[in-house]
Amino acid sequence: MGTTRAFPKHVACATALGLVLTLAAEVRADETAATPTPARGEATALVAAGASSGQSALAPTGDGVIIVPESQGVVVSASRAGLEPRAVGSAYTVVEQEDLQRAQSVLVRESLQDIPGITAASTRPGVVGAVNIRGSDNEQILVLIDGIELGDPSLASSQYQMEHLTTLDVARIEVLRGNQSSLYGSDAIGGVINIVTQKATEDGYRLNLEGEGGSYGTRRGGASLLGRQGIVDFRLTLQGQAVDGPSLTVPLRGPADEDDRAWQYNISGRVGVQLLPSLLAEVMGFHRIADQDLDGTGQDATFSTNSDKNDDAIALRLTHDAWDGRWTNQLTASWYETDRRFYGQGQPVDGDVYQGAKRNINLVSTIRPVDIVRLVAGFDLEREETDQVTAFSGNFTADNETNSGFGEVALEPVRNLTLTGAVRHDDNRRFGGYTTWRGTAAYYLADVAPGTDVKLRGSYGTGAKAPSLFQLFDPTYGNALLQVEESEGWDVGVDVFEASRDIALELTWFETDVTSEIDFDFAAGGYIQRGETRNRGVELGLTAQPLDWLRVQQSYTFLLNDDLDLGARVGKARHVGMTMVTVSPLPDLDLSLRARYRSANEASFAGRTDGFVTFDVLASYHLTADWELYGRVVNVLDKDYQTVAGQRSYGLSAFVGFRTSLDVGALAGL
C-alpha cells in the first residue's frame, strides 16, 4: 500500500545534511561548560499562563518544544527560540501532572475541556469527538506527543483523533492558542496541543501503577517503569481500558437498549542515551490497538458499526548543544501510521479500510550570539499517504509532500521587553508555495506590588491550511479544485502572579479570520470552499490558594463566531466554563466540587445541542507518601445532556481508583 513508500532522494539528502551539521557542531562544542543561572526576578513565571519557574538555558526540540532541566519542571511550546516564560508573547496554558491527578482526568481530551479557549465535543472513551480552540475546528489544531507530529491523512480532514489517548504517563500538556503556522506549519492555524510524557529525573528505577473501576463496567489500569543509570534513561508503559456502555444513542431517537462498548490497549516508551556530554540520542514511540461498538443506534440487530483502529508511532532525535548552550542543533525524524476498519450492514466482510501515514524530518538550529538576540533557522519535510478501500464512498490511493523552511528572531531591546518575529515558507507539491508569518511582544513587570508580577503580551500572525487527501480525492465527496485555507489573527492579554496566595490569572482578548474555508455542503454532496468566518472573544483562567486548606480554579471562554459572507452567527457555544473548589480538611485528604457549563451549540454537525450545567464530586486520600486512593461521582444531579447532538453523555456514575509510585531498588533490597 502507499504507506510503505520510501522518502524521496531529496529527503535523504536533507537528513544527511542535518547529521553533518550536528557532527560539525560537536567539533566546536565546549563539553564541560556550565549554564549560568538568572536572577530571581528573571526566573519568576506565570503558572496560569502556562509557565512556571525556570532558568534561561532553554533548549528547543525539533518541534519547537522548549525543554529545561528536569528540576525546573517547565516545558514551553510557544517559541523555537528557547524563550523563558516571562518572554513569551503568545497565549498558552500548561497542565501539569498534579493538575491531571487532582481533576482525576482519565482521557487527555477530558482534561483539555477545562482550559480557557477549548471546547471538547465528547469525553466518552472511544467516541470520536472534536477538540476546538477559539472556535477553530479539530483539523486546524496540531497535536504532538514527545515531538511526534500526529495526524491521520486517511481521515476526512487529516486531523488527529484523541478518543483513546489517556493521561497515565503524561507529565504535562501544553496548549498554544492562535495562529501558529509560522512555527508549526499547515495544521496549526488554530493552535497546538503538545503532550510531554514522563521521564526519569534521577538515578534508579521507579514503578508507577494505576487502577480504576466503576460505572458502565469501566475498568482501566496501567504500569510505567522509569529508570536512569549512567548515560541511559528510559520509560516503558503498558496501559489498557475498557467500558461496556451505555448506549451511545439518545433514547428519544429510538431504541437504546444495547450497550456500546469500547476498549483499547497500548504500549509506549522512550530511551535516551547521552552519547557525549553535549550530544543526546533519543528513541520514542507507541503502539495502540482499539475496538469499539459505538454505532449511535439502539439495537445492534438492526444496524451495527463496529470499528477497529491500530496506530503506531516512532521518532528518533539527536540533540546537540555547543558554546555553553548558546548553539543548539536538533534533528528529528518521526513516523505515524493508522489502520482503521469499519464493519457493519452493507460493508465488505473485511470492513471498510482506511490507512494513513504521516512522516516528518526536521532540523532546527538555534543560536544566541549575544544575550539580547536569539536566531533560529530550520527546515521541515513532510509526506502524507493514504489508501482507502471502502463501500462507503469508493477506493483511492493518494499522497502529498510539503517541504518547508522557517526562521525566527527574538530580541530584548530593553530589559524585560521581548519581541519575536517568525516566517515560514511551505512548498506543497500540489498547491505550490505559501508564506506565513507571526510577531509577538511581551513586557514583564516584576514586583509591581509586593510579591506580584505582571506580564503584558500580544501577538499577530497568519496561517494556512492545505486541503486533506480525502477532501481532494475521495471518489464520492472529494473536490480536486479545493485550495489552501488562509487565516489571520491577533490576541492581547495580561498575566498576573501573586506569590503569597498562589494566585495566577490569565486574561486574553482574541480575534481570528479564516478565508476560503473548506466545508461540507449537503446540497452539493461534497466539499466546497466558502467565504470568510470570524472568531473573536475573551479567555479567562484563574487558580488561587487563598488559604492552606482552600484552592479555587476557574476557566471561562466567551466566543462569538460569524459568517461574514452571510452576515450571520455560526452558532457555536458562546459560553464555556469550569469552576472547581477544593478543600483539605485533613493534611492528606482533598475534597472537590466541580461544575462544568456550556451554552447551546447551534452549529453542531448533527443538530442543535442545548446548554447544560453538570456537577461532579471528587475525593482523594494519601494513605502514605507513595499510595493514593481516589474516587469521584460524575454528574451527581443525573443531568440529561448532549455535547454532540444525538449522542448520550454519562449520567449519574461513580468511579474509584488508586495510584502508587514505588522505588524498585528499595523493594528489591538493592
Side-chain angles (χ1 to χ4, degrees):
M1 58 168 282
T3 55
T4 62
R5 298 171 186 161
F7 272 116
K9 291 182 179 179
H10 67 272
V11 177
C13 293
T15 305
L17 175 60
L19 289 169
V20 170
L21 290 174
T22 302
L23 293 175
E26 173 62 19
V27 176
R28 306 197 61 176
D30 183 350
E31 298 174 352
T32 60
T35 302
T37 302
R40 177 205 170 277
E42 295 181 351
T44 305
L46 306 174
V47 177
S52 52
S53 60
Q55 296 182 346
S56 61
L58 307 185
T61 74
D63 291 282
V65 179
I66 310 307
I67 300 178
V68 301
E70 290 295 335
S71 60
Q72 313 299 324
V74 180
V75 177
V76 180
S77 56
S79 172
R80 293 182 183 267
L83 299 179
E84 299 87 345
R86 67 176 182 84
V88 174
S90 299
Y92 67 97
T93 300
V94 168
V95 181
E96 301 286 354
Q97 182 183 19
E98 62 182 302
D99 301 317
L100 298 172
Q101 294 179 351
R102 184 183 297 112
Q104 298 185 27
S105 298
V106 174
L107 298 175
V108 168
R109 187 170 58 191
E110 180 183 5
S111 68
L112 293 174
Q113 68 179 329
D114 296 334
I115 295 175
I118 290 191
T119 304
S122 176
T123 58
R124 279 188 57 169
V127 177
V128 174
V131 173
N132 301 325
I133 298 179
R134 294 180 173 177
S136 64
D137 294 326
N138 205 143
E139 64 267 21
Q140 298 170 333
I141 300 168
L142 178 65
V143 179
L144 304 169
I145 297 181
D146 286 337
I148 303 174
E149 187 172 318
L150 303 180
D152 184 355
S154 70
L155 283 172
S157 300
S158 69
Q159 71 269 30
Y160 177 67
Q161 294 286 6
M162 300 187 192
E163 68 268 29
H164 299 294
L165 192 58
T166 69
T167 61
L168 173 67
D169 58 1
V170 174
R172 60 179 57 84
I173 302 172
E174 311 157 5
V175 177
L176 183 60
R177 304 188 293 274
N179 267 322
Q180 308 298 332
S181 287
S182 62
L183 296 177
Y184 293 95
S186 175
D187 296 330
I189 67 176
V192 175
I193 298 171
N194 180 49
I195 300 165
V196 181
T197 61
Q198 296 176 26
K199 179 181 178 181
T201 59
E202 57 187 16
D203 287 346
Y205 304 94
R206 197 153 200 89
L207 179 64
N208 297 332
L209 299 173
E210 286 191 21
E212 180 179 300
S215 299
Y216 311 118
T218 298
R219 59 269 189 204
R220 76 176 187 94
S224 287
L225 179 63
L226 298 92
R228 191 175 76 178
Q229 196 68 44
I231 63 172
V232 178
D233 72 275
F234 72 92
R235 174 186 59 81
L236 177 63
T237 300
L238 302 174
Q239 185 271 340
Q241 175 175 273
V243 296
D244 293 335
S247 175
L248 185 62
T249 194
V250 177
L252 293 177
R253 294 201 170 191
D257 54 3
E258 60 91 11
D259 289 334
D260 288 327
R261 59 176 176 78
W263 61 261
Q264 64 92 11
Y265 301 97
N266 76 74
I267 179 172
S268 64
R270 173 196 171 277
V271 176
V273 181
Q274 197 73 44
L275 299 176
L276 297 168
S278 57
L279 183 62
L280 173 66
E282 299 172 279
V283 179
M284 63 281 289
F286 62 83
H287 169 68
R288 180 182 295 110
I289 58 173
D291 177 88
Q292 49 271 335
D293 175 16
L294 299 169
D295 42 55
T297 64
Q299 295 175 317
D300 280 337
T302 305
F303 294 102
S304 179
T305 310
N306 298 337
S307 63
D308 297 331
K309 177 182 177 181
N310 296 345
D311 55 341
D312 300 273
I314 190 169
L316 299 90
R317 177 179 301 142
L318 288 174
T319 303
H320 180 270
D321 293 314
W323 300 346
D324 298 345
R326 288 183 175 272
W327 185 20
T328 300
N329 298 281
Q330 190 165 83
L331 178 68
T332 304
S334 65
W335 167 79
Y336 175 68
E337 181 169 297
T338 61
D339 185 313
R340 294 179 296 124
R341 297 171 186 259
F342 294 85
Y343 307 93
Q345 189 177 44
Q347 294 168 322
V349 175
D350 293 333
D352 283 351
V353 179
Y354 300 84
Q355 295 176 316
K358 188 172 187 176
R359 305 176 182 182
N360 292 82
I361 293 179
N362 59 64
L363 176 68
V364 180
S365 182
T366 304
I367 189 169
R368 192 174 187 179
V370 293
D371 288 344
I372 65 171
V373 177
R374 307 186 197 200
L375 305 173
V376 180
F379 65 77
D380 192 352
L381 311 178
E382 177 180 284
R383 181 178 177 88
E384 295 181 303
E385 303 171 346
T386 184
D387 281 356
Q388 175 177 306
V389 181
T390 168
F392 175 69
S393 61
N395 307 338
F396 78 95
T397 298
D399 59 70
N400 198 8
E401 295 177 3
T402 304
N403 299 329
S404 309
F406 54 85
E408 185 178 10
V409 178
L411 304 174
E412 189 175 1
V414 297
R415 184 174 177 80
N416 294 330
L417 172 64
T418 304
L419 306 175
T420 73
V423 64
R424 180 187 186 99
H425 183 76
D426 294 298
D427 183 16
N428 187 290
R429 179 160 58 87
R430 296 189 181 273
F431 301 101
Y434 45 90
T435 301
T436 55
W437 57 270
R438 179 176 174 82
T440 73
Y443 187 55
Y444 191 82
L445 303 169
D447 294 326
V448 295
T452 301
D453 298 339
V454 174
K455 182 173 74 170
L456 306 176
R457 52 178 167 77
S459 68
Y460 194 102
T462 64
K465 165 72 174 174
S468 71
L469 296 173
F470 184 94
Q471 291 168 339
L472 289 168
F473 303 119
D474 181 80
T476 301
Y477 305 109
N479 180 356
L481 300 179
L482 295 175
Q483 296 298 311
V484 173
E485 293 179 341
E486 296 181 350
S487 70
E488 185 173 359
W490 55 266
D491 59 39
V492 293
V494 58
D495 304 327
V496 181
F497 178 70
E498 199 280 328
S500 64
R501 289 180 290 274
D502 199 18
I503 297 174
L505 169 72
E506 60 168 318
L507 180 63
T508 306
W509 180 24
F510 65 88
E511 182 174 304
T512 302
D513 290 357
V514 181
T515 58
S516 301
E517 192 167 17
I518 298 171
D519 198 6
F520 189 88
D521 185 89
F522 287 95
Y527 289 95
I528 63 169
Q529 206 123 28
R530 57 191 183 90
E532 183 176 4
T533 58
R534 173 172 294 166
N535 295 320
R536 52 198 171 96
V538 176
E539 300 163 338
L540 170 69
L542 171 68
T543 61
Q545 190 159 359
L547 302 169
D548 290 343
W549 54 270
L550 176 64
R551 178 182 174 85
V552 178
Q553 183 179 348
Q554 175 69 57
S555 70
Y556 172 73
T557 304
F558 174 72
L559 175 68
L560 294 175
N561 53 323
D562 303 292
D563 188 317
L564 299 185
D565 282 357
L566 299 178
R569 284 195 62 228
V570 176
K572 294 181 180 178
R574 181 174 289 190
H575 306 279
V576 179
M578 185 278 299
T579 303
M580 182 169 169
V581 178
T582 301
V583 297
S584 303
L586 299 173
D588 296 316
L589 176 64
D590 290 336
L591 303 173
S592 300
L593 176 63
R594 177 174 61 203
R596 287 171 171 153
Y597 37 93
R598 188 178 305 180
S599 61
N601 183 0
E602 305 284 352
S604 175
F605 181 78
R608 183 184 190 274
T609 62
D610 294 330
F612 62 86
V613 180
T614 63
F615 295 92
D616 307 327
V617 175
L618 305 90
S620 67
Y621 182 70
H622 286 271
L623 295 173
T624 68
D626 295 332
W627 286 88
E628 177 188 3
L629 297 179
Y630 67 86
R632 63 189 178 280
V633 180
V634 175
N635 195 2
V636 294
L637 301 182
D638 201 20
K639 174 70 174 179
D640 184 12
Y641 72 100
Q642 302 169 40
T643 59
V644 177
Q647 290 188 7
R648 176 187 289 179
S649 298
Y650 279 171
L652 174 64
S653 48
F655 307 89
V656 295
F658 74 92
R659 300 187 189 95
T660 186
S661 182
L662 306 172
D663 187 329
V664 177
L667 290 176
L670 301 178

